[in-house]
Amino acid sequence: MTDADLAEMLSAIGVSSIQELFDRQIPADVRLGRPLDLPAGLPEQEVYAHLRDLAARNVSAEDEITFLGAGMYDHYVPAVIDMLLGRSEFLTPYTPYQPEVSQGNLQAMFEYQTAISELTGLPVSNASVYEGPSAVASAGYLARLANGKPKFVVSRGLHPHSRETLATYAHGFGAEVVEVPLKDGVTDHEAWAAAIDGDTGAVFFQQPNFLGAVEDAAALSAAAKDSPAVVVGQYDPIPLGILKPPGECGVDVCVGEGQALGNRLDFGGPSFGFFAATEAYLRRMPGRIAGETVDADGRRGFVLTLQTREQHIRREKATSNICTAQALNALAGVVYLSWLGRQGLVELGELLLQRTHYAREQLVALDGVAALHEQPVVREFAVSLEGVDVAAVIRRCQDAGVNPGYALGREYDEFPDGLLVALTEQRSKADIDRLVEVLGAAVAAERGATVGASA
């Protein structure tokens, strides 16, 4: 850009200098007022070494014994997934959402949708969305288009990121979000029923909820049946091997985070969101749906059946403007489900159930550790560390090579000493016993430090 270019641009917006532009737009008390404190430029080789040192400070789930969950889980990813995802016909094509997409990718989408429908007990599924929270928000938009009602009723047990994303979307299309509190670890049923009325466009809960407790999904759904509300359940897909599917609990739309299905943590992404619904909402679903058909010669084939975004239909009727199906990550999901099989998913759920209950029993037997609630749990549970600094306890545990879980106080003011502990099949009995040993020592040390500081 030349000085003449800059002068022309500044003139077009009515200021005489960059400084005047900043003075007008940025309050003085938030401006730095000095040059950035950056070191001098380095040769490429030294920059690489510096970045390598910074990267080495990261600790992954493979470097420690981790019980960190809260929506993303360290499940084992079998080698067959990388082998199939690495095939060039899946790995290299441009985002496969166009009508001319290959039969192989269309069949993969179709089989993924079939797997999600069977898993959720709902008849239609799309070909995936970005991730869990945006799937929740898209369900809100679906409800807004379906019944036009201005209120969403949301359980506080819904993942905090989902609540935040839904609230952002709701602000955009003028909907009010009413949050229902938890009682004894699950959604307060009386408050839930009282919050639902004729203006309610959708209700949202999570199964199991963010505290790991199994909700009475049928009762939560039934409370909304006399209203126009669309019942939306955000589900963890892994426990669906042993929990009643949402389609049998009165859920209209089931959404969720698909990372646990064959996708590694990868420092937070990418992942995919799944979205399934009753047939009544088929034409309101976001993204795209692949269908099965036959050609003129009667041969089996696959087509993109529905694409309800504004590139394909009128803007006011579009359900979203999602530009990718997260197809590669969703493919990992269907390969994972195929690798597990129906019985394998049940056995995985039973294994998690057993180890979760063993871990909870061992932890609450520690001095200074108590269960945050007594509700049934499947793969995750919450405990209270009774008056100690949870972040400090976590740091002590990490110094011993164990990540004990997620500090609930980061999202829930009402649980400042809460710790959420998650299990996967990768955490053995020996790992759990190690957690109990390390956490017990960390809590005792932190309590001692607290007493010493106050004496």
Side-chain angles (χ1 to χ4, degrees):
M1 179 188 302
T2 65
D3 290 343
D5 293 334
L6 178 61
E8 184 178 355
M9 293 169 66
L10 293 172
S11 174
I13 59 176
V15 295
S16 60
S17 66
I18 292 289
Q19 188 60 48
E20 183 182 349
L21 175 63
F22 289 170
D23 290 344
R24 287 192 183 187
Q25 300 297 324
I26 305 174
D29 58 347
V30 299
R31 274 182 271 156
L32 187 60
R34 59 172 174 76
L36 289 173
D37 184 16
L38 294 174
L42 297 173
E44 177 182 321
Q45 184 174 343
E46 292 182 29
V47 171
Y48 177 82
H50 178 63
L51 294 176
R52 183 187 59 203
D53 291 342
L54 291 177
R57 293 163 61 184
N58 287 321
V59 177
S60 78
E62 295 181 353
D63 300 321
E64 60 186 6
I65 302 172
T66 182
F67 295 85
L68 194 59
M72 306 291 275
Y73 302 96
D74 177 36
H75 285 286
Y76 178 71
V77 178
V80 66
I81 291 181
D82 284 343
M83 188 274 287
L84 290 176
L85 262 61
R87 290 179 63 95
S88 60
E89 59 266 46
F90 291 127
L91 187 63
T92 61
Y94 176 62
T95 307
Y97 65 85
Q98 295 167 315
E100 64 270 26
V101 70
S102 72
Q103 282 293 294
N105 275 305
L106 284 169
Q107 182 174 357
M109 289 182 193
F110 180 80
E111 294 187 359
Y112 160 78
Q113 292 167 194
T114 303
I116 294 297
S117 286
E118 291 184 356
L119 194 63
T120 59
L122 291 165
V124 292
S125 162
N126 72 7
S128 85
V129 291
Y130 292 130
E131 28 62 37
S134 65
V136 171
S138 294
Y141 191 52
L142 174 150
R144 184 70 169 152
L145 288 173
N147 57 40
K149 299 299 180 182
K151 187 169 81 171
F152 294 154
V153 174
V154 181
S155 166
R156 192 155 170 76
L158 190 71
H159 195 294
H161 295 172
S162 296
R163 282 186 276 130
E164 192 173 341
T165 308
L166 179 65
T168 301
Y169 273 51
H171 176 75
F173 47 78
E176 174 193 14
V177 177
V178 176
E179 194 168 282
V180 174
L182 299 174
K183 182 179 181 181
D184 300 328
V186 294
T187 305
D188 185 329
H189 284 224
E190 289 187 9
W192 176 263
I196 300 169
D197 56 28
D199 286 332
T200 305
V203 297
F204 298 81
F205 67 88
Q206 182 171 315
Q207 181 73 309
N209 69 25
F210 193 74
L211 301 187
V214 176
E215 296 271 7
D216 187 343
L220 293 175
S221 300
K225 287 306 178 186
D226 291 333
S227 76
V230 177
V231 178
V232 182
Q234 178 176 352
Y235 275 67
D236 181 345
I238 296 294
L240 281 175
I242 56 174
L243 293 178
K244 184 179 285 189
E248 297 179 15
C249 297
V251 173
D252 298 311
V253 177
C254 177
V255 293
E257 170 57 57
Q259 176 273 327
L261 302 175
N263 285 259
R264 293 185 177 84
L265 291 171
D266 287 338
F267 294 106
S271 181
F272 72 94
F274 61 87
F275 197 114
T278 62
E279 289 187 9
Y281 300 108
L282 172 63
R283 293 183 178 277
R284 303 287 189 189
M285 291 175 67
R288 58 207 58 84
I289 298 174
E292 184 182 27
T293 187
V294 292
D295 67 11
D297 298 321
R299 295 176 299 185
R300 186 188 189 211
F302 301 91
V303 294
L304 278 180
T305 304
L306 284 176
Q307 297 186 91
T308 52
R309 66 192 184 113
E310 65 184 46
Q311 280 187 349
H312 302 100
I313 62 176
R314 286 185 296 170
R315 172 172 291 183
E316 65 271 19
K317 291 185 177 298
T319 57
S320 74
N321 198 27
I322 294 174
C323 293
T324 177
Q326 296 293 88
L328 201 65
N329 300 83
L331 176 63
V334 71
V335 174
Y336 181 78
L337 287 170
S338 301
W339 174 76
L340 267 181
R342 292 177 184 273
Q343 187 57 32
L345 188 63
V346 174
E347 292 175 359
L348 175 57
E350 292 173 343
L351 180 68
L352 295 181
L353 187 69
Q354 293 166 4
R355 292 186 180 176
T356 300
H357 280 255
Y358 174 73
R360 182 160 77 165
E361 290 169 4
Q362 298 301 307
L363 285 181
V364 299
L366 294 172
D367 184 27
V369 180
L372 206 60
H373 58 77
E374 300 294 341
Q375 303 294 338
V377 294
V378 177
R379 68 131 91 230
E380 206 159 19
F381 60 94
V383 294
S384 168
L385 303 186
E386 299 189 338
V388 299
D389 184 338
V390 177
V393 169
I394 291 175
R395 285 194 295 272
R396 287 179 185 272
C397 291
Q398 287 182 303
D399 289 343
V402 177
N403 191 325
Y406 181 84
L408 282 171
R410 294 174 59 179
E411 302 287 353
Y412 290 83
D413 293 339
E414 61 269 45
F415 306 125
D417 54 6
L419 179 72
L420 188 65
V421 183
L423 277 291
T424 72
E425 76 285 354
Q426 300 218 78
R427 301 291 85 79
S428 65
K429 178 178 180 297
D431 291 338
I432 297 171
D433 292 341
R434 175 67 175 156
L435 167 68
V436 174
E437 176 188 356
V438 169
L439 186 70
V443 169
E446 195 58 29
R447 293 177 79 183
T450 303
V451 171
S454 60

